[in-house]
Amino acid sequence: MNTIPPSTPFPVPGFNGADSNATPAEFLKFLRSLIIQYLGDDCPRITANKAAWVTIVNGLTDHLLGSFPLPDIVIWNTMEEKIVMTEVTLEVIRRVFLRVDGVYNGSEGLVRKMFARLLDLCQVLDVWTNREVVCAEGTFSPAQMNEKALNVLVSVLRGLGDSSAVLSEEHDPSWKTLRGVLKECLDVCQDLIVSPTTPTTFTIIAFFRKPRIVRLKDQNSQEQKKAH
């Protein structure tokens, strides 16, 4: 079986073409075809062309995991296409990291970015789970999506610790990437503890960037105070 995904016209970096008129339905069909033809449980492990799969995951992370609307912006049932696309994207990413040999080698930057994006997605979906949502038949609920995103995040991190890649001078062992991710989490927690806050402050957390913690005042609360 060929271990290289077919060339496609889809507008994702590395997918051969940025000026495509491909519809979301066509792109969704392409993602599902990757799972069926290359990443399915009955497919052989992928032992070559790691770079092509890393490019795919990188593009999906940038374009489909970059943002997910909050409940104050949109109604859950109006996002069926977005929900399905996100779920299939998560499944592709999970399977690539399980089935492509050497995928962790030299992928520290990608893993860091994925960790931050998946953690942010989990946080947004956690907000959704605290709202009353009526799901259309066959549509993933916020809780189901949150569990899916968290499971993918855990699977990727667990793979870093379990990876048995051959050590070389070219790449650090994957456990060092895992150690760096965990250390960043500890540093973020420490910064949250020492950073002053007030009840009217918004907190922005940025992983693998400095400053990690940015406090913003709630303008609406400030205006209400002035009004009184």
Side-chain angles (χ1 to χ4, degrees), residues 89-102:
T89 293
L90 290 170
E91 187 63 18
V92 168
I93 290 173
R94 183 184 74 85
R95 288 177 176 272
V96 166
F97 277 89
L98 286 176
R99 305 191 64 82
V100 178
D101 285 352

Side-chain angles (χ1 to χ4, degrees), residues 63-76:
H63 288 261
L64 296 177
L65 296 184
S67 64
F68 198 91
L70 286 163
D72 293 336
I73 299 174
V74 67
I75 298 173
W76 184 262

Side-chain angles (χ1 to χ4, degrees), residues 45-228:
R45 287 193 62 82
I46 299 171
T47 59
N49 304 301
K50 180 201 78 172
W53 290 98
V54 169
T55 299
I56 288 175
V57 171
N58 195 47
L60 292 175
T61 302
D62 283 339
H63 288 261
L64 296 177
L65 296 184
S67 64
F68 198 91
L70 286 163
D72 293 336
I73 299 174
V74 67
I75 298 173
W76 184 262
N77 281 342
T78 64
M79 296 194 299
E80 182 176 356
E81 187 176 83
K82 173 75 172 177
I83 294 167
V84 173
M85 193 79 76
T86 301
E87 189 277 328
V88 176
T89 293
L90 290 170
E91 187 63 18
V92 168
I93 290 173
R94 183 184 74 85
R95 288 177 176 272
V96 166
F97 277 89
L98 286 176
R99 305 191 64 82
V100 178
D101 285 352
V103 69
Y104 287 103
N105 293 343
S107 299
E108 180 179 1
L110 174 59
V111 170
R112 285 183 170 192
K113 178 169 62 176
M114 280 183 50
F115 171 79
R117 295 285 173 83
L118 287 171
L119 197 62
D120 183 67
L121 177 60
C122 288
Q123 185 272 328
V124 172
L125 290 169
D126 190 57
V127 174
W128 274 101
T129 61
N130 293 318
R131 301 294 181 92
E132 288 190 14
V133 174
V134 179
C135 298
E137 185 177 354
T139 302
F140 277 79
S141 69
Q144 289 172 319
M145 286 294 295
N146 195 16
E147 182 180 10
K148 177 83 174 185
L150 182 59
N151 286 342
V152 173
L153 176 58
V154 171
S155 179
V156 171
L157 293 181
R158 182 178 291 129
L160 285 170
D162 294 341
S163 179
S164 57
V166 177
L167 300 181
S168 68
E169 294 182 359
E170 185 179 359
H171 302 299
D172 287 332
S174 60
W175 63 263
K176 286 191 175 182
T177 300
L178 176 59
R179 183 179 65 182
V181 171
L182 296 179
K183 183 180 183 302
E184 182 69 13
C185 291
L186 292 175
D187 289 342
V188 167
C189 291
Q190 182 62 32
D191 287 356
L192 280 170
I193 292 172
V194 301
S195 178
T197 184
T198 67
T200 59
T201 300
F202 286 114
T203 301
I204 298 176
I205 301 175
F207 284 87
F208 307 109
R209 289 186 296 173
K210 291 185 179 180
R212 297 185 183 92
I213 309 300
V214 177
R215 305 287 193 184
L216 298 176
K217 291 183 178 180
D218 185 346
Q219 294 299 322
N220 290 333
S221 297
Q222 294 298 316
E223 290 174 2
Q224 289 175 6
K225 277 187 177 182
K226 291 180 180 179
H228 292 293

Side-chain angles (χ1 to χ4, degrees), residues 1-39:
M1 178 180 289
N2 186 3
T3 57
I4 304 178
S7 296
T8 71
F10 296 103
V12 177
F15 281 36
N16 293 342
D19 300 321
S20 170
N21 292 321
T23 65
E26 290 172 324
F27 188 68
L28 183 60
K29 182 179 179 181
F30 164 70
L31 293 180
R32 285 173 169 160
S33 73
L34 288 181
I35 296 174
I36 294 171
Q37 297 178 39
Y38 303 98
L39 302 170

